């Protein structure tokens, strides 16, 4: 239960509502084709959007050009500037990445009238939403926002966050998603007590296995996990399901601190210790042997 | 320059557009007041939204109730259910967190007609956007999304990400924001060559100082940094500006690898090495001494 002061601490204000916008099958208008626009294209393709780019060809960045060539079914390109309100017909989201703040302002005004969410690069006061530093690993996405305090500091924190990840998280989440959908095939009820039981069982597996262990899941293991686990209302260990020992826990210690003491850093330090002990012994032996002669 | 295959790798699809939605001065309708709704209120207050909550009083979670009592100027509460399209008048964003999927679907349909972005808790196919696991530290916000593969795995990764942070990042970003605004007071030009020079200088300071060092910035240090740094077109060291040595780099090594070699882990390993060398030497000395007698 939260106290009033905790509630106050939880609500510092001054932030953004961090959300994962769904663009599958949606139409996005991107006004501009330069370097900033090219990073927008990357994010939009990653979210399965249909993209219309307006930009005179001489203003196209090489990367934007390559995206246009590589995704002809996803990107419609027009070699011209924004012409007026008709450009917004059936558009779900608008991004501007152009040099003229005046033109951006005009486009934003039209979007407001048409109730279309809009971002104008480099003009925060015109934006319905901001972008941030972004990490993508398969189904895993992480966004870091400094709420307008500079992209460089977001990038520094992004590097730190990325370094804390083991690189296996995306695959592990994909396999977890596969396990979840196999379980749903077996017990397809939506909501209700079965839905809750399914969620509890998935949560339990998530808590008891190391994240990296999920990367090894294959069809046979999923079958065994559901037969021996779900059907018996228990959560078998990774060892039991795979016949192999669990992976090194080093990558998962942040979330599963009880296993931290087995970290391989300890292992390598231990080897260094033995090597140094041996070196010390050898030097002393040589010294004493020399003295004896 | 990116190759085609890199572009393909950069655009795996199946993801979301991760964005920081701006709600300052915007009106949000929250239908429902239970436990899930209470977490929505937390996020909405953090983004400075004006909130209207519709929920029969018996359905109010204690935390929701406390938010309503604690923020009377920010939250308008009505002890009733959603009644119809008139509820959406002048609303910028809608969130439902109720038990009835049918009612959620009705509300979502009305939002689509009115072109209001909407999230229906637990019904992903109805959502314009999803929420994820969220870390907030002052102006720093980090969102982790597993793109529908379960909240538990996002929470596990959130714990890992949080453990990688030093706890000083939010304050450091606040101080960086202060430095930036003082610099803008000194050279208020927007855009152009001065704007670019200002951005380059801020980026250089970000790259050369450890993030934690910024937490120590006070008025006098900011003054010195701008006088001896910006005005001289150079970036003074933290030591020069503060008169104190820079903080331990351990917290920042992920982002500043060039300083990683000074990491205290190296220091402690070095001591362990000496100790083991000494131990080896001592044991061998004792052994040979014993043999000699």
């Amino acid at each position: 239960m939260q106290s009033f002061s905790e509630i106050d601490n939880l609500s510092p204000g001054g932030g953004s509502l961090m959300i994962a916008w769904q663009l599958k099958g949606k139409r996005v208008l991107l006004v501009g084709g330069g370097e900033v626009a090219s990073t927008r294209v990357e994010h939009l393709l990653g979210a399965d959007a249909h993209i219309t780019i307006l930009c005179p060809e001489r203003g196209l960045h090489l990367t934007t050009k390559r995206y246009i060539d590589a995704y002809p079914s996803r990107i419609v390109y027009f070699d011209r500037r924004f012409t007026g309100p008709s450009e917004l017909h059936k558009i779900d989201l608008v991004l501007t990445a152009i040099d003229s703040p005046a033109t951006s302002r005009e486009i934003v005004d039209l979007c407001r009238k048409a109730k279309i969410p809009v971002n104008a690069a480099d003009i925060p006061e015109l934006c319905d939403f901001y972008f941030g530093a972004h990490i993508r690993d398969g189904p895993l996405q992480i966004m870091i926002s400094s709420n307008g305090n500079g992209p460089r500091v977001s990038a520094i924190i992004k590097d730190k966050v990325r370094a804390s990840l083991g690189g296996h998280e995306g695959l592990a989440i994909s396999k977890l998603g596969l396990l979840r959908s196999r379980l749903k095939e077996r017990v397809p009820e939506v909501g209700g007590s079965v839905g809750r039981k399914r969620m509890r069982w998935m949560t339990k597996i998530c808590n008891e296995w190391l994240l990296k262990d999920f990367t090894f899941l294959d069809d046979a293991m999923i079958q065994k996990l559901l037969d021996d686990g779900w059907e018996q209302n228990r959560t078998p260990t990774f060892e039991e399901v795979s016949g192999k020992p669990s992976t090194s826990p080093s990558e998962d210690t942040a979330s599963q601190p009880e296993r931290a003491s087995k970290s391989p850093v300890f292992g390598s330090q231990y080897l260094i210790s033995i090597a140094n002990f041996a070196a010390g012994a050898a030097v002393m032996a040589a010294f004493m042997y020399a003295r004896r002669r």
Side-chain angles (χ1 to χ4, degrees), chain A residues 256-277:
Chain A
Q256 279 124 327
E258 74 280 9
R259 299 221 195 174
S261 59
K262 290 192 218 157
S263 153
V265 170
F266 176 77
S268 67
Q269 278 188 341
Y270 187 65
L271 286 180
I272 291 170
S273 297
I274 292 176
N276 278 294
F277 183 93

mmCIF file with all atom_site columns, all heavy atoms in Angstrom, chain A residues 256-277:
data_model
loop_
_atom_site.group_PDB
_atom_site.id
_atom_site.type_symbol
_atom_site.label_atom_id
_atom_site.label_alt_id
_atom_site.label_comp_id
_atom_site.label_asym_id
_atom_site.label_entity_id
_atom_site.label_seq_id
_atom_site.pdbx_PDB_ins_code
_atom_site.Cartn_x
_atom_site.Cartn_y
_atom_site.Cartn_z
_atom_site.occupancy
_atom_site.B_iso_or_equiv
_atom_site.pdbx_formal_charge
_atom_site.auth_seq_id
_atom_site.auth_comp_id
_atom_site.auth_asym_id
_atom_site.auth_atom_id
_atom_site.pdbx_PDB_model_num
ATOM 1   N N   . GLN A 1 256 ? 18.056 -11.831 -11.330 1.00 0.00 ? 256 GLN A N   1
ATOM 2   C CA  . GLN A 1 256 ? 17.990 -13.002 -10.460 1.00 0.00 ? 256 GLN A CA  1
ATOM 3   C C   . GLN A 1 256 ? 19.204 -13.028 -9.542  1.00 0.00 ? 256 GLN A C   1
ATOM 4   O O   . GLN A 1 256 ? 20.110 -13.844 -9.697  1.00 0.00 ? 256 GLN A O   1
ATOM 5   C CB  . GLN A 1 256 ? 17.914 -14.277 -11.300 1.00 0.00 ? 256 GLN A CB  1
ATOM 6   C CG  . GLN A 1 256 ? 16.487 -14.536 -11.796 1.00 0.00 ? 256 GLN A CG  1
ATOM 7   C CD  . GLN A 1 256 ? 16.404 -14.671 -13.281 1.00 0.00 ? 256 GLN A CD  1
ATOM 8   O OE1 . GLN A 1 256 ? 17.152 -14.031 -14.016 1.00 0.00 ? 256 GLN A OE1 1
ATOM 9   N NE2 . GLN A 1 256 ? 15.499 -15.502 -13.769 1.00 0.00 ? 256 GLN A NE2 1
ATOM 10  N N   . PRO A 1 257 ? 19.245 -12.084 -8.591  1.00 0.00 ? 257 PRO A N   1
ATOM 11  C CA  . PRO A 1 257 ? 20.450 -11.895 -7.792  1.00 0.00 ? 257 PRO A CA  1
ATOM 12  C C   . PRO A 1 257 ? 20.837 -13.139 -6.993  1.00 0.00 ? 257 PRO A C   1
ATOM 13  O O   . PRO A 1 257 ? 22.004 -13.324 -6.662  1.00 0.00 ? 257 PRO A O   1
ATOM 14  C CB  . PRO A 1 257 ? 20.092 -10.730 -6.869  1.00 0.00 ? 257 PRO A CB  1
ATOM 15  C CG  . PRO A 1 257 ? 18.597 -10.631 -6.902  1.00 0.00 ? 257 PRO A CG  1
ATOM 16  C CD  . PRO A 1 257 ? 18.180 -11.171 -8.225  1.00 0.00 ? 257 PRO A CD  1
ATOM 17  N N   . GLU A 1 258 ? 19.873 -14.013 -6.710  1.00 0.00 ? 258 GLU A N   1
ATOM 18  C CA  . GLU A 1 258 ? 20.212 -15.182 -5.884  1.00 0.00 ? 258 GLU A CA  1
ATOM 19  C C   . GLU A 1 258 ? 21.216 -16.096 -6.571  1.00 0.00 ? 258 GLU A C   1
ATOM 20  O O   . GLU A 1 258 ? 21.853 -16.913 -5.940  1.00 0.00 ? 258 GLU A O   1
ATOM 21  C CB  . GLU A 1 258 ? 18.941 -15.954 -5.495  1.00 0.00 ? 258 GLU A CB  1
ATOM 22  C CG  . GLU A 1 258 ? 18.301 -16.774 -6.603  1.00 0.00 ? 258 GLU A CG  1
ATOM 23  C CD  . GLU A 1 258 ? 17.457 -15.945 -7.548  1.00 0.00 ? 258 GLU A CD  1
ATOM 24  O OE1 . GLU A 1 258 ? 17.483 -14.707 -7.465  1.00 0.00 ? 258 GLU A OE1 1
ATOM 25  O OE2 . GLU A 1 258 ? 16.764 -16.544 -8.378  1.00 0.00 ? 258 GLU A OE2 1
ATOM 26  N N   . ARG A 1 259 ? 21.381 -15.910 -7.889  1.00 0.00 ? 259 ARG A N   1
ATOM 27  C CA  . ARG A 1 259 ? 22.339 -16.762 -8.594  1.00 0.00 ? 259 ARG A CA  1
ATOM 28  C C   . ARG A 1 259 ? 23.654 -16.022 -8.876  1.00 0.00 ? 259 ARG A C   1
ATOM 29  O O   . ARG A 1 259 ? 24.547 -16.559 -9.498  1.00 0.00 ? 259 ARG A O   1
ATOM 30  C CB  . ARG A 1 259 ? 21.758 -17.214 -9.929  1.00 0.00 ? 259 ARG A CB  1
ATOM 31  C CG  . ARG A 1 259 ? 20.486 -18.038 -9.784  1.00 0.00 ? 259 ARG A CG  1
ATOM 32  C CD  . ARG A 1 259 ? 20.526 -19.174 -10.754 1.00 0.00 ? 259 ARG A CD  1
ATOM 33  N NE  . ARG A 1 259 ? 19.225 -19.785 -10.913 1.00 0.00 ? 259 ARG A NE  1
ATOM 34  C CZ  . ARG A 1 259 ? 18.981 -20.726 -11.801 1.00 0.00 ? 259 ARG A CZ  1
ATOM 35  N NH1 . ARG A 1 259 ? 19.941 -21.142 -12.604 1.00 0.00 ? 259 ARG A NH1 1
ATOM 36  N NH2 . ARG A 1 259 ? 17.797 -21.257 -11.908 1.00 0.00 ? 259 ARG A NH2 1
ATOM 37  N N   . ALA A 1 260 ? 23.758 -14.793 -8.401  1.00 0.00 ? 260 ALA A N   1
ATOM 38  C CA  . ALA A 1 260 ? 24.887 -13.942 -8.787  1.00 0.00 ? 260 ALA A CA  1
ATOM 39  C C   . ALA A 1 260 ? 26.237 -14.513 -8.348  1.00 0.00 ? 260 ALA A C   1
ATOM 40  O O   . ALA A 1 260 ? 27.242 -14.309 -8.998  1.00 0.00 ? 260 ALA A O   1
ATOM 41  C CB  . ALA A 1 260 ? 24.719 -12.545 -8.207  1.00 0.00 ? 260 ALA A CB  1
ATOM 42  N N   . SER A 1 261 ? 26.228 -15.275 -7.231  1.00 0.00 ? 261 SER A N   1
ATOM 43  C CA  . SER A 1 261 ? 27.506 -15.720 -6.692  1.00 0.00 ? 261 SER A CA  1
ATOM 44  C C   . SER A 1 261 ? 28.218 -16.695 -7.618  1.00 0.00 ? 261 SER A C   1
ATOM 45  O O   . SER A 1 261 ? 29.397 -16.948 -7.446  1.00 0.00 ? 261 SER A O   1
ATOM 46  C CB  . SER A 1 261 ? 27.285 -16.359 -5.326  1.00 0.00 ? 261 SER A CB  1
ATOM 47  O OG  . SER A 1 261 ? 26.395 -17.452 -5.465  1.00 0.00 ? 261 SER A OG  1
ATOM 48  N N   . LYS A 1 262 ? 27.515 -17.228 -8.623  1.00 0.00 ? 262 LYS A N   1
ATOM 49  C CA  . LYS A 1 262 ? 28.174 -18.171 -9.534  1.00 0.00 ? 262 LYS A CA  1
ATOM 50  C C   . LYS A 1 262 ? 28.795 -17.476 -10.743 1.00 0.00 ? 262 LYS A C   1
ATOM 51  O O   . LYS A 1 262 ? 29.214 -18.132 -11.682 1.00 0.00 ? 262 LYS A O   1
ATOM 52  C CB  . LYS A 1 262 ? 27.144 -19.177 -10.061 1.00 0.00 ? 262 LYS A CB  1
ATOM 53  C CG  . LYS A 1 262 ? 26.640 -20.177 -9.030  1.00 0.00 ? 262 LYS A CG  1
ATOM 54  C CD  . LYS A 1 262 ? 25.870 -21.291 -9.751  1.00 0.00 ? 262 LYS A CD  1
ATOM 55  C CE  . LYS A 1 262 ? 24.654 -21.753 -8.997  1.00 0.00 ? 262 LYS A CE  1
ATOM 56  N NZ  . LYS A 1 262 ? 23.668 -22.368 -9.877  1.00 0.00 ? 262 LYS A NZ  1
ATOM 57  N N   . SER A 1 263 ? 28.833 -16.150 -10.714 1.00 0.00 ? 263 SER A N   1
ATOM 58  C CA  . SER A 1 263 ? 29.320 -15.375 -11.861 1.00 0.00 ? 263 SER A CA  1
ATOM 59  C C   . SER A 1 263 ? 30.679 -15.854 -12.381 1.00 0.00 ? 263 SER A C   1
ATOM 60  O O   . SER A 1 263 ? 31.573 -16.191 -11.606 1.00 0.00 ? 263 SER A O   1
ATOM 61  C CB  . SER A 1 263 ? 29.427 -13.908 -11.444 1.00 0.00 ? 263 SER A CB  1
ATOM 62  O OG  . SER A 1 263 ? 30.400 -13.254 -12.190 1.00 0.00 ? 263 SER A OG  1
ATOM 63  N N   . PRO A 1 264 ? 30.862 -15.891 -13.717 1.00 0.00 ? 264 PRO A N   1
ATOM 64  C CA  . PRO A 1 264 ? 32.127 -16.327 -14.281 1.00 0.00 ? 264 PRO A CA  1
ATOM 65  C C   . PRO A 1 264 ? 33.270 -15.364 -13.980 1.00 0.00 ? 264 PRO A C   1
ATOM 66  O O   . PRO A 1 264 ? 34.429 -15.735 -14.096 1.00 0.00 ? 264 PRO A O   1
ATOM 67  C CB  . PRO A 1 264 ? 31.849 -16.395 -15.781 1.00 0.00 ? 264 PRO A CB  1
ATOM 68  C CG  . PRO A 1 264 ? 30.709 -15.474 -16.006 1.00 0.00 ? 264 PRO A CG  1
ATOM 69  C CD  . PRO A 1 264 ? 29.915 -15.497 -14.741 1.00 0.00 ? 264 PRO A CD  1
ATOM 70  N N   . VAL A 1 265 ? 32.967 -14.137 -13.620 1.00 0.00 ? 265 VAL A N   1
ATOM 71  C CA  . VAL A 1 265 ? 34.020 -13.201 -13.207 1.00 0.00 ? 265 VAL A CA  1
ATOM 72  C C   . VAL A 1 265 ? 34.776 -13.831 -12.044 1.00 0.00 ? 265 VAL A C   1
ATOM 73  O O   . VAL A 1 265 ? 35.992 -13.809 -11.973 1.00 0.00 ? 265 VAL A O   1
ATOM 74  C CB  . VAL A 1 265 ? 33.431 -11.834 -12.787 1.00 0.00 ? 265 VAL A CB  1
ATOM 75  C CG1 . VAL A 1 265 ? 34.503 -10.976 -12.141 1.00 0.00 ? 265 VAL A CG1 1
ATOM 76  C CG2 . VAL A 1 265 ? 32.839 -11.138 -14.000 1.00 0.00 ? 265 VAL A CG2 1
ATOM 77  N N   . PHE A 1 266 ? 34.006 -14.448 -11.133 1.00 0.00 ? 266 PHE A N   1
ATOM 78  C CA  . PHE A 1 266 ? 34.626 -15.157 -10.028 1.00 0.00 ? 266 PHE A CA  1
ATOM 79  C C   . PHE A 1 266 ? 35.554 -16.229 -10.583 1.00 0.00 ? 266 PHE A C   1
ATOM 80  O O   . PHE A 1 266 ? 36.691 -16.359 -10.166 1.00 0.00 ? 266 PHE A O   1
ATOM 81  C CB  . PHE A 1 266 ? 33.560 -15.785 -9.136  1.00 0.00 ? 266 PHE A CB  1
ATOM 82  C CG  . PHE A 1 266 ? 34.154 -16.613 -8.035  1.00 0.00 ? 266 PHE A CG  1
ATOM 83  C CD1 . PHE A 1 266 ? 34.711 -16.010 -6.923  1.00 0.00 ? 266 PHE A CD1 1
ATOM 84  C CD2 . PHE A 1 266 ? 34.213 -18.005 -8.136  1.00 0.00 ? 266 PHE A CD2 1
ATOM 85  C CE1 . PHE A 1 266 ? 35.289 -16.758 -5.917  1.00 0.00 ? 266 PHE A CE1 1
ATOM 86  C CE2 . PHE A 1 266 ? 34.787 -18.764 -7.125  1.00 0.00 ? 266 PHE A CE2 1
ATOM 87  C CZ  . PHE A 1 266 ? 35.324 -18.142 -6.015  1.00 0.00 ? 266 PHE A CZ  1
ATOM 88  N N   . GLY A 1 267 ? 35.075 -16.976 -11.581 1.00 0.00 ? 267 GLY A N   1
ATOM 89  C CA  . GLY A 1 267 ? 35.871 -18.038 -12.183 1.00 0.00 ? 267 GLY A CA  1
ATOM 90  C C   . GLY A 1 267 ? 37.196 -17.515 -12.718 1.00 0.00 ? 267 GLY A C   1
ATOM 91  O O   . GLY A 1 267 ? 38.254 -18.068 -12.413 1.00 0.00 ? 267 GLY A O   1
ATOM 92  N N   . SER A 1 268 ? 37.140 -16.433 -13.479 1.00 0.00 ? 268 SER A N   1
ATOM 93  C CA  . SER A 1 268 ? 38.370 -15.931 -14.086 1.00 0.00 ? 268 SER A CA  1
ATOM 94  C C   . SER A 1 268 ? 39.311 -15.373 -13.017 1.00 0.00 ? 268 SER A C   1
ATOM 95  O O   . SER A 1 268 ? 40.518 -15.540 -13.078 1.00 0.00 ? 268 SER A O   1
ATOM 96  C CB  . SER A 1 268 ? 38.049 -14.886 -15.160 1.00 0.00 ? 268 SER A CB  1
ATOM 97  O OG  . SER A 1 268 ? 37.502 -13.744 -14.568 1.00 0.00 ? 268 SER A OG  1
ATOM 98  N N   . GLN A 1 269 ? 38.709 -14.722 -11.995 1.00 0.00 ? 269 GLN A N   1
ATOM 99  C CA  . GLN A 1 269 ? 39.553 -14.208 -10.916 1.00 0.00 ? 269 GLN A CA  1
ATOM 100 C C   . GLN A 1 269 ? 40.247 -15.353 -10.198 1.00 0.00 ? 269 GLN A C   1
ATOM 101 O O   . GLN A 1 269 ? 41.398 -15.241 -9.782  1.00 0.00 ? 269 GLN A O   1
ATOM 102 C CB  . GLN A 1 269 ? 38.698 -13.425 -9.910  1.00 0.00 ? 269 GLN A CB  1
ATOM 103 C CG  . GLN A 1 269 ? 38.439 -12.005 -10.375 1.00 0.00 ? 269 GLN A CG  1
ATOM 104 C CD  . GLN A 1 269 ? 37.770 -11.195 -9.297  1.00 0.00 ? 269 GLN A CD  1
ATOM 105 O OE1 . GLN A 1 269 ? 37.191 -11.754 -8.364  1.00 0.00 ? 269 GLN A OE1 1
ATOM 106 N NE2 . GLN A 1 269 ? 37.839 -9.888  -9.417  1.00 0.00 ? 269 GLN A NE2 1
ATOM 107 N N   . TYR A 1 270 ? 39.528 -16.453 -10.059 1.00 0.00 ? 270 TYR A N   1
ATOM 108 C CA  . TYR A 1 270 ? 40.046 -17.623 -9.372  1.00 0.00 ? 270 TYR A CA  1
ATOM 109 C C   . TYR A 1 270 ? 41.271 -18.153 -10.122 1.00 0.00 ? 270 TYR A C   1
ATOM 110 O O   . TYR A 1 270 ? 42.319 -18.453 -9.529  1.00 0.00 ? 270 TYR A O   1
ATOM 111 C CB  . TYR A 1 270 ? 38.925 -18.659 -9.321  1.00 0.00 ? 270 TYR A CB  1
ATOM 112 C CG  . TYR A 1 270 ? 39.225 -19.866 -8.496  1.00 0.00 ? 270 TYR A CG  1
ATOM 113 C CD1 . TYR A 1 270 ? 39.399 -19.764 -7.121  1.00 0.00 ? 270 TYR A CD1 1
ATOM 114 C CD2 . TYR A 1 270 ? 39.317 -21.122 -9.103  1.00 0.00 ? 270 TYR A CD2 1
ATOM 115 C CE1 . TYR A 1 270 ? 39.665 -20.886 -6.371  1.00 0.00 ? 270 TYR A CE1 1
ATOM 116 C CE2 . TYR A 1 270 ? 39.581 -22.250 -8.342  1.00 0.00 ? 270 TYR A CE2 1
ATOM 117 C CZ  . TYR A 1 270 ? 39.755 -22.135 -6.973  1.00 0.00 ? 270 TYR A CZ  1
ATOM 118 O OH  . TYR A 1 270 ? 40.021 -23.246 -6.240  1.00 0.00 ? 270 TYR A OH  1
ATOM 119 N N   . LEU A 1 271 ? 41.157 -18.219 -11.479 1.00 0.00 ? 271 LEU A N   1
ATOM 120 C CA  . LEU A 1 271 ? 42.280 -18.681 -12.292 1.00 0.00 ? 271 LEU A CA  1
ATOM 121 C C   . LEU A 1 271 ? 43.466 -17.738 -12.163 1.00 0.00 ? 271 LEU A C   1
ATOM 122 O O   . LEU A 1 271 ? 44.615 -18.171 -12.036 1.00 0.00 ? 271 LEU A O   1
ATOM 123 C CB  . LEU A 1 271 ? 41.861 -18.786 -13.771 1.00 0.00 ? 271 LEU A CB  1
ATOM 124 C CG  . LEU A 1 271 ? 40.960 -19.976 -14.103 1.00 0.00 ? 271 LEU A CG  1
ATOM 125 C CD1 . LEU A 1 271 ? 40.614 -19.974 -15.576 1.00 0.00 ? 271 LEU A CD1 1
ATOM 126 C CD2 . LEU A 1 271 ? 41.653 -21.308 -13.712 1.00 0.00 ? 271 LEU A CD2 1
ATOM 127 N N   . ILE A 1 272 ? 43.157 -16.415 -12.186 1.00 0.00 ? 272 ILE A N   1
ATOM 128 C CA  . ILE A 1 272 ? 44.236 -15.431 -12.039 1.00 0.00 ? 272 ILE A CA  1
ATOM 129 C C   . ILE A 1 272 ? 44.918 -15.626 -10.690 1.00 0.00 ? 272 ILE A C   1
ATOM 130 O O   . ILE A 1 272 ? 46.133 -15.584 -10.572 1.00 0.00 ? 272 ILE A O   1
ATOM 131 C CB  . ILE A 1 272 ? 43.662 -13.990 -12.168 1.00 0.00 ? 272 ILE A CB  1
ATOM 132 C CG1 . ILE A 1 272 ? 43.221 -13.739 -13.618 1.00 0.00 ? 272 ILE A CG1 1
ATOM 133 C CG2 . ILE A 1 272 ? 44.692 -12.944 -11.733 1.00 0.00 ? 272 ILE A CG2 1
ATOM 134 C CD1 . ILE A 1 272 ? 42.430 -12.457 -13.811 1.00 0.00 ? 272 ILE A CD1 1
ATOM 135 N N   . SER A 1 273 ? 44.097 -15.906 -9.659  1.00 0.00 ? 273 SER A N   1
ATOM 136 C CA  . SER A 1 273 ? 44.653 -16.118 -8.315  1.00 0.00 ? 273 SER A CA  1
ATOM 137 C C   . SER A 1 273 ? 45.618 -17.297 -8.297  1.00 0.00 ? 273 SER A C   1
ATOM 138 O O   . SER A 1 273 ? 46.725 -17.210 -7.756  1.00 0.00 ? 273 SER A O   1
ATOM 139 C CB  . SER A 1 273 ? 43.520 -16.392 -7.327  1.00 0.00 ? 273 SER A CB  1
ATOM 140 O OG  . SER A 1 273 ? 42.680 -15.272 -7.253  1.00 0.00 ? 273 SER A OG  1
ATOM 141 N N   . ILE A 1 274 ? 45.185 -18.413 -8.918  1.00 0.00 ? 274 ILE A N   1
ATOM 142 C CA  . ILE A 1 274 ? 46.043 -19.610 -8.961  1.00 0.00 ? 274 ILE A CA  1
ATOM 143 C C   . ILE A 1 274 ? 47.340 -19.300 -9.705  1.00 0.00 ? 274 ILE A C   1
ATOM 144 O O   . ILE A 1 274 ? 48.439 -19.634 -9.261  1.00 0.00 ? 274 ILE A O   1
ATOM 145 C CB  . ILE A 1 274 ? 45.303 -20.781 -9.654  1.00 0.00 ? 274 ILE A CB  1
ATOM 146 C CG1 . ILE A 1 274 ? 44.142 -21.248 -8.770  1.00 0.00 ? 274 ILE A CG1 1
ATOM 147 C CG2 . ILE A 1 274 ? 46.258 -21.937 -9.952  1.00 0.00 ? 274 ILE A CG2 1
ATOM 148 C CD1 . ILE A 1 274 ? 43.295 -22.330 -9.410  1.00 0.00 ? 274 ILE A CD1 1
ATOM 149 N N   . ALA A 1 275 ? 47.202 -18.599 -10.834 1.00 0.00 ? 275 ALA A N   1
ATOM 150 C CA  . ALA A 1 275 ? 48.374 -18.275 -11.644 1.00 0.00 ? 275 ALA A CA  1
ATOM 151 C C   . ALA A 1 275 ? 49.356 -17.424 -10.858 1.00 0.00 ? 275 ALA A C   1
ATOM 152 O O   . ALA A 1 275 ? 50.579 -17.647 -10.890 1.00 0.00 ? 275 ALA A O   1
ATOM 153 C CB  . ALA A 1 275 ? 47.935 -17.544 -12.918 1.00 0.00 ? 275 ALA A CB  1
ATOM 154 N N   . ASN A 1 276 ? 48.829 -16.469 -10.105 1.00 0.00 ? 276 ASN A N   1
ATOM 155 C CA  . ASN A 1 276 ? 49.705 -15.587 -9.340  1.00 0.00 ? 276 ASN A CA  1
ATOM 156 C C   . ASN A 1 276 ? 50.356 -16.314 -8.166  1.00 0.00 ? 276 ASN A C   1
ATOM 157 O O   . ASN A 1 276 ? 51.511 -16.082 -7.845  1.00 0.00 ? 276 ASN A O   1
ATOM 158 C CB  . ASN A 1 276 ? 48.913 -14.365 -8.856  1.00 0.00 ? 276 ASN A CB  1
ATOM 159 C CG  . ASN A 1 276 ? 48.809 -13.335 -9.946  1.00 0.00 ? 276 ASN A CG  1
ATOM 160 O OD1 . ASN A 1 276 ? 49.810 -12.755 -10.339 1.00 0.00 ? 276 ASN A OD1 1
ATOM 161 N ND2 . ASN A 1 276 ? 47.609 -13.141 -10.449 1.00 0.00 ? 276 ASN A ND2 1
ATOM 162 N N   . PHE A 1 277 ? 49.532 -17.180 -7.556  1.00 0.00 ? 277 PHE A N   1
ATOM 163 C CA  . PHE A 1 277 ? 50.075 -17.997 -6.462  1.00 0.00 ? 277 PHE A CA  1
ATOM 164 C C   . PHE A 1 277 ? 51.256 -18.826 -6.992  1.00 0.00 ? 277 PHE A C   1
ATOM 165 O O   . PHE A 1 277 ? 52.335 -18.855 -6.413  1.00 0.00 ? 277 PHE A O   1
ATOM 166 C CB  . PHE A 1 277 ? 48.969 -18.905 -5.930  1.00 0.00 ? 277 PHE A CB  1
ATOM 167 C CG  . PHE A 1 277 ? 49.385 -19.741 -4.758  1.00 0.00 ? 277 PHE A CG  1
ATOM 168 C CD1 . PHE A 1 277 ? 49.170 -19.290 -3.461  1.00 0.00 ? 277 PHE A CD1 1
ATOM 169 C CD2 . PHE A 1 277 ? 50.008 -20.981 -4.945  1.00 0.00 ? 277 PHE A CD2 1
ATOM 170 C CE1 . PHE A 1 277 ? 49.563 -20.050 -2.375  1.00 0.00 ? 277 PHE A CE1 1
ATOM 171 C CE2 . PHE A 1 277 ? 50.405 -21.756 -3.851  1.00 0.00 ? 277 PHE A CE2 1
ATOM 172 C CZ  . PHE A 1 277 ? 50.179 -21.285 -2.559  1.00 0.00 ? 277 PHE A CZ  1
#
